[in-house]
Amino acid sequence: MNGQRHATVVAAATLALTLTPLIGIFEGLGWIFPVMLTIALIATAGSLMRAAGRGQGLQTLAMGATLVVILTLGFGDGTGLLFLVPLPATFEHWGVLAQEGVGAIIVNSPPVEATGGIMFLTVVGVGVVAILHDMFVVGLRTPALAGLTLLTMYLVPVSVAPEATAWFWFILPAVAYLWILGDDNLKRVSAFGHRFTGAGQLVGRSFPSPMARTARWSAAGFIAVALAVLAVVPVNTSGLIDNVADGIEGGESYGLGDVNPWAQLSGSLTRPEAVDVLRVTTDDPSPRYLRMHVLDELTSDGFAPNEYNGTQNLDELPEPEGDMYTAQIENLQLEAPVVPVYGSPNGLDIDGDWRVDPDTGVIVGDGSDMGDVDEYTLQYSEPAPDAETLAAAGGMSSDDERWTPNTEHPDVPELTDIVADATAGATTVHEKVLAVQRFLSVSNGFRYSLETIDAGNDEAVLDFLETKQGYCQQYAATMAWMLREADVAARVVVGLSQGSRVDANQWVLTSHDYHAWVEVYYDGPGWVTFDPTPAASVPGSVSFPWSNEPSDAVDPETEPSENEVPTDDPSAPETDASGQTIPPEGGASEGPSADAGAESDGGAALPFHPGWLSLLLLLAVPFLPVLWRGALRKRRLNPRNLTAATAWDEAMDLALDYGVSIPDSYTPRQAAGVLATAAPSAREAAKALGSAMALYRYSPRGADPAGLADALRDLHTALDKTSPTQARYRAMFWPASLVAKVGAGRAEQSARLSRRSARTTDRVRSALRRRRRSNNRDKPGVTGRA
């Protein structure tokens, strides 16, 4: 096995060692085979190209092509040509998988099943890192940069789910990095020739270096200290995906464990395929919405839930009002730190430690999560105020301690003007609510669409009011914000809609049933639900009779159920006898709405945020030396800085970059001769540079820099053309002249420190040295000096 093959095996093995943190991310070990196969095939492709004598460019191209073939074969769903060559349909399928994977990452918490979109994103990420890792370790022989790829493979799972990865997984990436550095150092030392011991005995390559023992102990000590520091230093951080998802929704941490309400909502609605979340069996003939999160804190970043301080025991749930219902709820795939509940809960039988927030009615876990709950039983009532009662009721008193938290809002002059126009003439709370609801209606040009920015901040609200296009998040956040502008206490609620009826008393709620609506406070009735989102666009939507004008309300005596009263909204769907939405002709919609599905052309667009660009910084690292070297060359060739000396410095750096050896003892004319031999087509340019430098050194008149910039460009071009491919890439991505400058700078700094230390030591010794006493101090010396 030659040196390059050995380095290829080392690169692949060290990258495989760094994948161990993925054990805490995936369920089981089924992910190991496809990931390891990807690393092995990419390494084999690079090794074969190197064996054929091809340069780094073709090596990288071959490894990239191998990754594409792996993705087509494993994730192409049979759309590729001969299952190996991707076609346009293959790329479309990959886009769907990528969307599914991002949605699953946002919504689910580890461990997750190693299938579908998450596995696709994993193989893509590992493949790209494997290509860069092989290029650093073998192609460019820059093993120090391999630390970036190893760090990436370690940090991604740790950042996504820090609680699912153990601290000791850090040991294997550290050992892998030391293995790469040690192997490369052994090869470089062996290149000098035979090895001898201090006694002059010839030894083989595997004989340990006298410093190997010290290096091993130093490395072990460093790892031990690092782990000890990590073990004792308190940390309080969240995962990278959590931070990015929070950045999409406003950049805050909501104190709700691992689920962000906005991220859970948008991630669920944009899933390509619906996933069953809950199964509800209830004696309620037409259940309404399941409440989960209450977002009552409004800043310029949008609505967010509070910290739920001051929670109470579940036995302090409020007394029931009206008819009581019982719901048996089976958890299929829901993971959240809050319990979904109907209406006003009166009793809850659930495993775990749960408490209720008296201000919002949210039942939040005290260290418990819905992921640990299989099923629970809920007793609840559904208050149903009529429109006349709300029309006569006032709002929340300004003396109420809840007034400020539920009415405060950022000052947005543009929104203030819009609210003033929309609520002109409205004097009561109910009139303002109905005015804002009419303003956001279909009749005013607003329409439902998932193709919008996932945020509720001031800019997104103004954008929604301008484009009149959004989904439940935009509708709910905008209505609540507008009501607060009109001095009406309002908040946003995130949960699940009615879902789909299975039989007479059973309902199934899927990931496409996540929904957001508004609650408005009335003096007497309390918090009342309003849903501004067009009903035809929300699967399992429920109509609320009190959201109509009082004069249009239907007599309660003539209505069999408060949930089945039709509204005047032209977008309201038809309902059956129980209030369940009747699907449109042609079958049920495939997504959150048929219209939204048609507009999104088969799937919602992948959410984008500048926070994701931080993940691309790794790809920019190999180009930093290129930019540094180019900036140095540009500065030297600047007419204001150009002299024979700067031109000669650039020529010597070019020689160093392209591996042209020029001894330091050579004169400028001798060095120019070596350059002319290395680049025959630039003979005249090399001669001109050497002559200019000789004049600069020895002539009192100096040298004229005219034409030296063109000579350097000719020399650069000639050296690049005559050098092997590998040398060209090394000169571009890892210029030896930069390495030499960094080394020289460090050596000079070390020398300065040594000189300062020596001077300080001499001063201390002089100050402490006692004056010598002479036996002849009372007699004159031979020289006449005392």
Side-chain angles (χ1 to χ4, degrees):
M1 180 181 295
N2 60 29
Q4 287 188 333
R5 291 179 183 175
H6 175 79
T8 302
V9 172
V10 171
T14 52
L15 186 62
L17 283 177
T18 319
L19 296 176
T20 47
L22 293 179
I23 293 176
I25 301 297
F26 294 113
E27 292 181 352
L29 300 177
W31 57 274
I32 292 181
F33 177 75
V35 169
M36 295 300 177
L37 181 63
T38 300
I39 295 175
L41 292 179
I42 288 176
T44 302
S47 180
L48 291 176
M49 294 302 293
R50 282 187 287 271
R54 305 305 178 186
Q56 183 60 51
L58 292 178
Q59 294 174 29
T60 305
L61 184 62
M63 290 186 288
T66 302
L67 176 60
V68 172
V69 171
I70 294 172
L71 295 175
T72 306
L73 185 62
F75 301 93
D77 197 26
T79 58
L81 179 62
L82 300 177
F83 299 98
L84 299 176
V85 181
L87 298 176
T90 308
F91 291 102
E92 293 179 4
H93 183 66
W94 288 349
V96 173
L97 286 177
Q99 295 176 27
E100 178 185 343
V102 172
I105 290 172
I106 294 176
V107 175
N108 298 325
S109 60
V112 297
E113 189 176 356
T115 58
I118 290 183
M119 195 62 203
F120 171 76
L121 294 178
T122 301
V123 173
V124 171
V126 170
V128 172
V129 172
I131 294 173
L132 293 174
H133 192 64
D134 184 272
M135 181 176 66
F136 292 151
V137 176
V138 189
L140 301 179
R141 288 199 66 186
T142 54
L145 291 179
L148 297 174
T149 52
L150 296 179
L151 186 63
T152 299
M153 293 307 302
Y154 172 74
L155 287 181
V156 168
V158 172
S159 300
V160 171
E163 72 285 351
T165 51
W167 59 268
F168 54 77
W169 290 130
F170 172 77
I171 297 177
L172 290 179
V175 170
Y177 188 49
L178 294 176
W179 182 7
I180 292 175
L181 295 179
D183 183 75
D184 181 76
N185 183 68
L186 182 60
K187 287 188 296 185
R188 293 180 184 273
V189 170
S190 300
F192 288 103
H194 295 293
R195 300 178 61 208
F196 295 88
T197 64
Q201 181 181 358
L202 180 66
V203 296
R205 290 186 55 185
S206 60
F207 188 84
S209 168
M211 299 184 65
R213 183 183 182 91
T214 303
R216 284 193 294 267
W217 280 108
S218 299
F222 170 77
I223 295 175
V225 171
L227 293 176
V229 171
L230 292 176
V232 300
V233 174
V235 294
N236 184 19
T237 60
S238 57
L240 175 63
I241 296 300
D242 290 335
N243 293 335
V244 172
D246 289 347
I248 295 176
E249 312 303 337
E252 296 184 9
S253 177
Y254 299 116
L256 283 174
D258 58 349
V259 176
N260 174 351
W262 286 136
Q264 187 177 42
L265 173 66
S266 60
S268 299
L269 292 180
T270 55
R271 290 178 69 104
E273 297 180 0
V275 175
D276 293 346
V277 176
L278 297 174
R279 180 180 289 109
V280 179
T281 303
T282 177
D283 55 2
D284 188 346
S286 182
R288 296 178 187 163
Y289 295 159
L290 275 169
R291 302 169 75 251
M292 292 179 63
H293 307 282
V294 173
L295 284 57
D296 54 357
E297 292 187 356
L298 177 58
T299 65
S300 59
D301 291 325
F303 281 92
N306 60 52
E307 296 295 332
Y308 297 137
N309 296 323
T311 56
Q312 302 172 350
N313 295 326
L314 292 181
D315 54 11
E316 299 187 36
L317 289 171
E319 293 296 326
E321 296 181 4
D323 297 335
M324 292 293 298
Y325 302 101
T326 300
Q328 186 79 21
I329 303 177
E330 180 184 357
N331 185 8
L332 302 178
Q333 288 198 38
L334 178 65
E335 294 185 4
V338 296
V339 180
V341 295
Y342 288 112
S344 178
N346 175 250
L348 180 64
D349 182 10
I350 186 172
D351 295 333
D353 297 325
W354 302 89
R355 298 176 64 84
V356 60
D357 180 60
D359 294 332
T360 61
V362 173
I363 298 178
V364 62
D366 186 8
S368 298
D369 188 273
M370 283 299 298
D372 302 322
V373 176
D374 294 329
E375 62 179 9
Y376 60 99
T377 302
L378 173 69
Q379 289 83 37
Y380 64 97
S381 63
E382 287 282 15
D386 55 58
E388 287 76 9
T389 301
L390 298 183
M396 182 181 290
S397 172
S398 58
D399 296 332
D400 194 317
E401 62 180 6
R402 298 171 297 174
W403 168 260
T404 299
N406 289 282
T407 57
E408 63 181 357
H409 56 276
D411 184 17
V412 184
E414 300 93 328
L415 187 59
T416 303
D417 297 338
I418 294 175
V419 173
D421 293 339
T423 59
T427 56
T428 66
V429 171
H430 198 54
E431 288 177 350
K432 293 178 180 179
V433 172
L434 296 180
V436 172
Q437 191 169 251
R438 285 193 302 269
F439 179 81
L440 299 175
S441 66
V442 176
S443 60
N444 195 30
F446 284 84
R447 66 188 185 92
Y448 185 95
S449 175
L450 289 173
E451 296 181 354
T452 185
I453 301 174
D454 299 336
N457 53 49
D458 51 358
E459 294 182 0
V461 167
L462 293 175
D463 183 68
F464 170 65
L465 292 174
E466 179 180 354
T467 62
K468 297 186 176 183
Q469 176 176 324
Y471 61 104
C472 58
Q473 176 178 347
Q474 283 71 34
Y475 277 96
T478 302
M479 180 176 181
W481 200 324
M482 292 179 68
L483 288 175
R484 290 195 177 196
E485 284 278 359
D487 294 329
V488 175
R491 62 193 187 188
V492 176
V493 182
V494 176
L496 293 151
S497 64
Q498 191 180 59
S500 303
R501 183 191 290 275
V502 177
D503 53 33
N505 60 352
Q506 193 172 90
W507 308 75
V508 171
L509 286 71
T510 73
S511 56
H512 285 175
D513 292 319
Y514 277 93
H515 190 44
W517 59 93
V518 178
E519 287 184 348
V520 182
Y521 187 86
Y522 289 84
D523 186 18
W527 292 101
V528 180
T529 299
F530 289 87
D531 189 358
T533 308
S537 303
V538 180
S541 64
V542 175
S543 59
F544 300 95
W546 54 81
S547 62
N548 302 314
E549 296 286 351
S551 58
D552 297 334
V554 179
D555 187 357
E557 297 180 357
T558 64
E559 56 173 335
S561 171
E562 63 269 19
N563 288 340
E564 63 185 67
V565 177
T567 68
D568 292 338
D569 187 352
S571 65
E574 298 182 13
T575 57
D576 57 18
S578 64
Q580 168 67 9
T581 302
I582 299 177
E585 295 183 4
S589 63
E590 295 295 331
S593 71
D595 295 340
E599 292 168 6
S600 60
D601 193 19
L606 184 66
F608 172 79
H609 186 269
W612 291 103
L613 295 179
S614 60
L615 300 178
L616 300 178
L617 291 179
L618 176 64
L619 299 178
V621 171
F623 300 97
L624 294 180
V626 180
L627 299 176
W628 186 5
R629 185 69 177 88
L632 179 60
R633 182 181 299 112
K634 183 177 180 180
R635 181 168 58 84
R636 285 171 172 172
L637 298 184
N638 190 312
R640 292 177 297 180
N641 302 327
L642 183 62
T643 64
T646 59
W648 187 249
D649 289 341
E650 177 63 23
M652 293 297 98
D653 283 353
L654 286 174
L656 191 59
D657 293 342
Y658 286 96
V660 180
S661 178
I662 301 178
D664 295 337
S665 60
Y666 275 23
T667 66
R669 295 187 185 277
Q670 290 175 320
V674 175
L675 289 173
T677 303
S681 59
R683 185 179 300 275
E684 295 299 326
K687 182 179 178 181
L689 291 168
S691 299
M693 188 59 189
L695 290 174
Y696 179 85
R697 285 184 178 178
Y698 309 122
S699 174
R701 298 190 305 273
D704 185 5
L708 295 183
D710 294 334
L712 282 171
R713 295 188 184 96
D714 292 343
L715 178 62
H716 188 187
T717 302
L719 288 173
D720 194 69
K721 287 182 179 180
T722 56
S723 298
T725 303
Q726 187 172 358
R728 290 202 302 270
Y729 280 109
R730 187 180 296 114
M732 179 183 299
F733 291 104
W734 196 246
S737 59
L738 291 184
V739 178
K741 283 181 172 56
V742 172
R746 291 179 178 176
E748 178 61 27
Q749 184 178 11
S750 178
R752 286 198 300 268
L753 291 176
S754 299
R755 289 193 295 269
R756 292 175 183 174
S757 177
R759 287 196 296 267
T760 303
T761 302
D762 291 340
R763 293 191 185 112
V764 172
R765 287 177 177 175
S766 299
L768 298 178
R769 185 184 296 123
R770 297 178 60 184
R771 185 176 180 182
R772 291 185 178 181
R773 302 179 62 183
S774 174
N775 293 329
N776 298 324
R777 59 184 182 275
D778 297 330
K779 300 178 182 180
V782 176
T783 59
R785 294 179 295 179

